[in-house]
Amino acid sequence: MEVHNVTAGAATFTCNAYLAVGDRTVLVDAGAMDGVVEVVREHTDHLDAVVLTHQHGDHVAQLDAVCEAFDDPDCYAYGDHPRRTHAITDGDDLVIGDERFEVVYTPGHATDHVSLVSDSSLFSGDVVVHDDGAFDYGSFGRTDMAGQSRERLIESIHTLLERMPDTVEHMYAGHGETFHGDVRDVVETALDRAENREPKYPDE
């Protein structure tokens, strides 16, 4: 599967937005970077769908611009949104690029958070990431703001590990770098840190 981070190098705060090109060309999250539409157009003239991992501002700020530029592609989201055309729930299947992904409901960082798992790839949103400003290998989404829960996040990471095949070797997280290798070890490391109550930020 050909995957491009279309918000790489952004000057403003944004999530990683991933364009999966294949049988079904899909954008996973829209990001908050001005000009994301132009970057998508460097790779494709057509967008079949947008899939949202969750609806924090850094993931959806450019959703209107993307939908308007690409003639209202299908929009999949767990939570309500004016642009949503398809509600997704735990256990649903979605084709992204050339692969079939299972939707895994993974709240804690956000109440509407989902992760997307195939036999080889993981779009983890913010529930777990490879690296960020807090940890350089195996980090997890922040849970120090209103409506967030470290306990629920821990449950979600356990669920993700139960549902994720051992063959997954590509990790596309909402922040940090893309990772290729032993994804399960990254996720297990994040789980250990979360369970040991390691603070994500010094004042947490």
Side-chain angles (χ1 to χ4, degrees), residues 51-54 78 88-94 96 100-108 110-118 121-128 152-165 168 187:
V51 179
L52 302 179
T53 61
H54 62 296
Y78 185 94
I88 54 176
T89 191
D90 187 68
D92 285 352
D93 283 339
L94 295 175
I96 298 173
R100 184 168 295 278
F101 286 77
E102 181 184 10
V103 175
V104 182
Y105 182 48
T106 49
T111 57
D112 65 336
H113 197 291
V114 296
S115 301
L116 308 162
V117 182
S118 75
S121 302
L122 167 66
F123 290 100
S124 60
D126 291 358
V127 65
V128 289
R152 192 66 186 89
L153 183 82
I154 290 168
E155 292 176 13
S156 291
I157 300 175
H158 275 289
T159 299
L160 185 58
L161 283 167
E162 291 168 2
R163 305 265 287 276
M164 187 175 70
V168 173
V187 178

Side-chain angles (χ1 to χ4, degrees), residues 37 41 45 63-73:
V37 167
R41 281 190 170 136
D45 294 324
L63 181 59
D64 283 344
V66 167
C67 289
E68 289 165 9
F70 291 96
D71 299 321
D72 292 322

